[in-house]
Amino acid sequence: MNRPGGASESLAAPTANMTEGWHCLHVYYRLHPLAPGFPTGQAREELLTALDPQRDGAPQRLQVSVVSGHRADLGLMLMDPDPLKIDSVLQSIRTSSLGPFLEPAYSFVSISEVSEYVPTVEQYGERLLREGAATDDPAYLAKVKAYEQRLPMMNKQRLYPDFPDWPVTCFYPMNKIRDPQANWYREPFSSRSKLMAEHATSGIKFAGRVSQLITASTGFDDWEWGVTLWARAPEYIKEIVYTMRFDEASARYAAFGPFYISYVMPIAQALDHLRVS
Ligand code: 76R
């Protein structure tokens, strides 16, 4: 099809796959009581296959966790460029023998992105200068150089994340509010950027204890972002969420949805835990 101005020539072919970054799905199931005599052995095998991250056709990322509390029993976090590859995991679960006993309790749809507040190398340098560095200072030059080397890797981790090998994970959705008294979306970029820089400074203190992935969901789900945290130990989750509540960006502008805390393990161990033997 020809469009006026030949605009179609410059566009890539239409696709449901992400051109940059991955689709992301968090999904939570509640396990219903199994009737006596239910053939769990076979059902277990089906789920072991469907939720094996190494199998052919598995999404790029497939993480299983066991959820604390009544909100859910089993949690999945899936990422792939192809949304249907992610969805086919759900369909395999739905049509498995255990499907009728696994009630979908919550889901959250999002995509990975590099936030507009991640400073470019130039913005990073300007920030250092505003904080008092001098252009000819070797420490300033070394910092800018180090950031320039780090940035491509950091952006790759934001778009195509490797999940840390840590046992505790927490998920919650969040918004930036649009109250007449505190409307994030009416603040100029420079103010938002300043608040996000403060947020980053407070977050960096948790390096080595907590790892975070912020996925964007505006247009994909009812909240604007999904926050996934992984921690080396559970108390760090409480500590980071509490600490960041005091960042101006959260204290003044953030609203949060339900929290899901869960423990990462392979599906075999999760099924043992859920007494599907
Ligand atoms: O390198 C950089 O400067 C990146 C800085 C950075 C950005 C752009 C950053 C750092 N975050 C960014 C974006 Mn974050 N983050 C959250 C939450 O519970 C709360 O109060 C809020 C939930 C946590 C816990 C957290 C942790 N961050 C965002 C955005 C997107 C904004 C947009 O694009 O409009 C949201 C919604 C958000 C929320 N953040 C960090 C952390 C931590 C621990 C860091 C520092 C560590 C790091 O840079 O890897």
Side-chain angles (χ1 to χ4, degrees), residues 152-173:
M153 261 170 48
M154 290 185 338
N155 285 343
K156 183 165 173 270
Q157 176 61 17
R158 290 174 177 124
L159 291 170
Y160 312 103
D162 280 321
F163 295 0
D165 194 14
W166 286 347
V168 190
T169 185
C170 169
F171 172 76
Y172 54 99

Side-chain angles (χ1 to χ4, degrees), residues 178-199:
R178 283 176 284 131
D179 281 5
Q181 305 308 317
N183 186 337
W184 178 255
Y185 294 92
R186 303 205 73 171
E187 294 298 330
F189 181 77
S190 56
S191 318
R192 285 180 276 131
S193 217
K194 204 159 152 256
L195 292 178
M196 290 311 289
E198 179 207 54
H199 161 90

Side-chain angles (χ1 to χ4, degrees), residues 85-238:
K85 200 175 250 191
I86 291 177
D87 194 67
S88 73
V89 175
L90 271 60
Q91 301 314 326
S92 302
I93 294 174
R94 185 179 63 82
T95 54
S96 72
S97 316
L98 266 181
F101 300 91
L102 283 167
E103 180 197 354
Y106 188 71
S107 75
F108 194 81
V109 181
S110 59
I111 55 176
S112 62
E113 68 163 5
V114 175
S115 162
E116 62 191 300
Y117 305 110
V118 172
T120 61
V121 177
E122 293 71 36
Q123 287 165 339
Y124 179 80
E126 285 161 15
R127 194 176 284 172
L128 294 179
L129 295 176
R130 276 201 304 277
E131 288 165 5
T135 37
D136 54 354
D137 179 355
Y140 159 81
L141 293 170
K143 273 190 184 167
V144 172
K145 182 110 197 110
Y147 186 73
E148 189 170 16
Q149 281 168 352
R150 230 176 33 242
L151 189 59
M153 261 170 48
M154 290 185 338
N155 285 343
K156 183 165 173 270
Q157 176 61 17
R158 290 174 177 124
L159 291 170
Y160 312 103
D162 280 321
F163 295 0
D165 194 14
W166 286 347
V168 190
T169 185
C170 169
F171 172 76
Y172 54 99
M174 73 172 278
N175 283 344
K176 289 280 168 62
I177 62 170
R178 283 176 284 131
D179 281 5
Q181 305 308 317
N183 186 337
W184 178 255
Y185 294 92
R186 303 205 73 171
E187 294 298 330
F189 181 77
S190 56
S191 318
R192 285 180 276 131
S193 217
K194 204 159 152 256
L195 292 178
M196 290 311 289
E198 179 207 54
H199 161 90
T201 308
S202 108
I204 270 163
K205 300 194 179 106
F206 289 87
R209 288 180 290 158
V210 179
S211 175
Q212 97 285 12
L213 178 69
I214 307 301
T215 47
S217 44
T218 312
F220 282 72
D221 213 313
D222 296 348
W223 298 79
E224 294 164 353
W225 292 277
V227 181
T228 307
L229 305 174
W230 289 271
R232 202 178 265 285
E235 55 270 38
Y236 300 140
I237 297 282
K238 198 277 297 183

